[in-house]
């Protein structure tokens, strides 16, 4: 799948991009990995850390279509991880989020079609399911245009997405801030003691992306089965002596997250480790049922099924969270 291939990662200097690059180099033999991002200093740091001739660095912004056209020439796989992600910042700078997360995603699509890239995968978020903040709305928009792009792309180029929850230890996440000592060990502020989130490790995110790229026919959204935990319990596990002060939910914040909505469940299947949301409209001729393999290997979901962080069957214990943070 990846041996001898050229892979481009937008936003490649971020936590996922760095981890996935290492995952590829450790487990496969790619011809080239192109890191496409705006920050020359982060690219320099990554180059020093990896020191591998198979990694190439391309300074550019997904808002710049012509730069993407040049970067994607000769590429076999694109993983679109570039996005503005901080919810409060996006609420205050809404159109900046639209320019990067929506228009930037459309630029990736246009460049990939023009350069005939075989596989293009979007990295999305649980906040795209029933979004209440601008970040979630822009990621839902990115999902929609990625899925719909299969209708006008040649068969050589297919698009799909993955959608997952909070990444344990990613840069700027609450776990990362705790490890860097930015939370007091004596007192922490939490928004609501009942708030829950889905939690995924960077390795699990890498495995999800590999599974999606190996199986995608075009138009799917791949959702991992991952555990939940209350934010209050997470703090109790990691900072057990800290007193918790409840300050209330912030603007644009949900009490619980969803990875698969009740409406999406009607056209989804369940596999051993993943759910697959199949498109509601068919991009191919009636003679081509390219999604049949999902029905053969998976099962249809029950009516009214939804996959939310508060109704999850899998929950992290304090000890499991401690181990995940430590590792």
């Amino acid at each position: 799948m990846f041996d001898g291939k050229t892979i481009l990662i937008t936003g490649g200097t971020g936590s996922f991009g760095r981890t996935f690059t290492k995952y590829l180099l450790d487990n496969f033999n790619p011809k080239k990995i192109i890191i496409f991002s705006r920050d020359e200093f982060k690219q320099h740091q990554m180059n020093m850390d990896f020191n591998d001739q198979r990694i190439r660095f391309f300074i550019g912004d997904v808002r710049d279509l012509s730069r993407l056209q040049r970067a994607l020439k000769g590429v076999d796989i694109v993983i679109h991880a570039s996005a503005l992600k901080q919810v409060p910042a996006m609420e205050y700078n809404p159109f900046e989020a639209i320019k990067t997360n929506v228009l930037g995603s459309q630029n990736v699509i246009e460049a990939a079609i023009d350069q005939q890239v075989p596989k293009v995968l979007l990295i999305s978020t649980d906040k795209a399911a029933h979004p209440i903040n601008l970040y979630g709305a822009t990621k839902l928009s990115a999902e929609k245009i990625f899925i719909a792009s299969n209708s006008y792309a040649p068969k050589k180029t297919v698009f799909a997405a993955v959608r997952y929850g909070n990444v344990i230890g990613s840069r700027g996440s609450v776990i990362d801030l705790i490890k860097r000592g930015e939370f007091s060990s004596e007192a922490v502020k939490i928004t609501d003691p009942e708030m829950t989130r889905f939690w995924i490790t960077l390795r699990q995110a890498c495995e999800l992306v590999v599974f999606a790229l190996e199986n995608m026919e075009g138009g799917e959204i791949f959702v991992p089965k991952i555990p939940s935990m209350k934010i209050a319990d997470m703090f109790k596990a990691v900072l057990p002596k800290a007193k918790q002060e409840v300050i209330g939910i912030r603007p644009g914040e949900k009490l619980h997250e969803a990875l698969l909505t009740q409406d999406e469940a009607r056209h989804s299947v369940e596999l051993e480790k993943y759910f697959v949301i199949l498109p509601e409209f068919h991009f191919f001729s009636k003679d081509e049922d390219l999604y049949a393999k999902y029905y053969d290997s998976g099962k249809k979901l029950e009516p009214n099924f939804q996959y939310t962080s508060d109704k999850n069957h899998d929950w992290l214990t304090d000890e499991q969270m401690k181990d995940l943070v430590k590792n």
Side-chain angles (χ1 to χ4, degrees):
M1 175 69 205
F2 301 101
D3 292 347
K5 298 294 177 64
T6 297
I7 302 120
L8 182 141
I9 307 171
T10 70
T13 57
S15 299
F16 170 79
R18 288 176 65 100
T19 304
F20 192 66
T21 297
K22 187 176 187 306
Y23 187 90
L24 288 175
L25 295 174
D26 288 347
N27 295 280
F28 304 97
N29 185 28
K31 176 183 177 182
K32 189 191 308 181
I33 300 174
I34 302 172
I35 303 300
F36 184 94
S37 69
R38 299 176 302 172
D39 194 321
E40 60 179 336
F41 180 64
K42 290 176 185 172
Q43 289 193 3
H44 169 71
Q45 287 180 312
M46 188 171 176
N47 189 30
M48 296 293 287
D49 291 341
F50 280 81
N51 191 27
D52 192 305
Q53 293 300 312
R54 291 172 291 177
I55 304 177
R56 310 294 172 81
F57 294 92
F58 208 113
I59 294 175
D61 195 318
V62 293
R63 298 181 183 187
D64 186 344
L65 176 57
S66 64
R67 190 64 169 158
L68 280 167
Q69 296 278 13
R70 178 63 58 87
L72 266 61
K73 187 173 180 60
V75 169
D76 300 297
I77 297 167
V78 170
I79 299 160
H80 180 36
S82 174
L84 294 175
K85 302 180 176 71
Q86 293 294 326
V87 171
M90 296 308 94
E91 294 296 297
Y92 190 68
N93 303 279
F95 202 69
E96 295 306 305
I98 293 168
K99 286 192 282 189
T100 294
N101 298 356
V102 182
L103 302 181
S105 295
Q106 181 64 27
N107 286 339
V108 170
I109 291 167
E110 299 288 352
I113 291 174
D114 292 345
Q115 298 300 329
Q116 298 186 321
V117 177
K119 292 191 175 186
V120 190
L121 187 71
L122 169 71
I123 306 297
S124 189
T125 169
D126 52 5
K127 291 174 178 59
H130 286 325
I132 66 165
N133 54 54
L134 190 76
Y135 170 53
T138 60
K139 293 302 281 187
L140 174 62
S141 299
E143 286 184 0
K144 292 291 188 183
I145 60 177
F146 251 70
I147 301 311
S149 63
N150 288 281
S151 63
Y152 58 87
K155 288 184 181 180
K156 180 178 175 59
T157 301
V158 292
F159 298 86
V162 298
R163 182 195 286 173
Y164 53 73
N166 286 24
V167 180
I168 298 173
S170 63
R171 189 176 62 221
S173 68
V174 63
I175 298 294
D176 177 51
L177 297 177
I178 289 172
K179 292 185 74 173
R180 289 198 276 141
E182 296 195 21
F183 281 89
S184 169
S185 60
E186 297 179 359
V188 293
K189 294 179 180 180
I190 64 170
T191 53
D192 191 293
E194 296 303 312
M195 179 177 286
T196 62
R197 290 293 182 265
F198 288 105
W199 301 88
I200 188 171
T201 66
L202 280 165
R203 181 174 181 84
Q204 287 174 312
C206 292
E207 291 169 350
L208 168 65
V209 167
V210 170
F211 180 85
L213 288 167
E214 288 177 339
N215 289 276
M216 60 189 277
E217 301 288 354
E220 308 98 322
I221 300 174
F222 296 87
V223 174
K225 296 179 181 179
I226 49 178
S228 294
M229 192 176 200
K230 290 183 179 180
I231 296 291
D233 291 343
M234 181 275 297
F235 273 113
K236 186 173 69 175
V238 181
L239 296 173
K241 296 181 180 180
K243 182 180 178 180
Q244 297 186 3
E245 177 190 351
V246 178
I247 61 173
I249 293 179
R250 297 171 295 184
E253 195 169 42
K254 289 183 183 179
L255 187 60
H256 309 293
E257 293 286 2
L259 272 171
L260 195 157
T261 69
Q262 183 174 315
D263 296 308
E264 291 171 326
R266 293 198 297 268
H267 51 96
S268 301
V269 294
E270 180 179 5
L271 306 179
E272 181 182 1
K273 293 183 178 181
Y274 307 105
F275 298 102
V276 185
I277 303 169
L278 298 173
E280 295 181 89
F281 47 94
H282 214 291
F283 307 114
F284 313 100
S285 74
K286 293 181 180 178
D287 297 329
E288 297 179 89
D289 191 358
L290 299 184
Y291 309 115
K293 66 179 183 180
Y294 296 116
Y295 294 111
D296 292 340
S297 59
K299 65 177 182 179
K300 288 284 289 179
L301 297 173
E302 294 293 325
N304 302 322
F305 176 85
Q306 53 186 326
Y307 187 37
T308 59
S309 59
D310 60 323
K311 299 291 198 306
N312 200 351
H313 296 301
D314 185 9
W315 290 81
L316 285 172
T317 66
D318 289 359
E319 290 303 316
Q320 288 173 326
M321 176 57 80
K322 288 177 185 177
D323 288 341
L324 289 172
V325 172
K326 184 169 65 175
N327 295 325

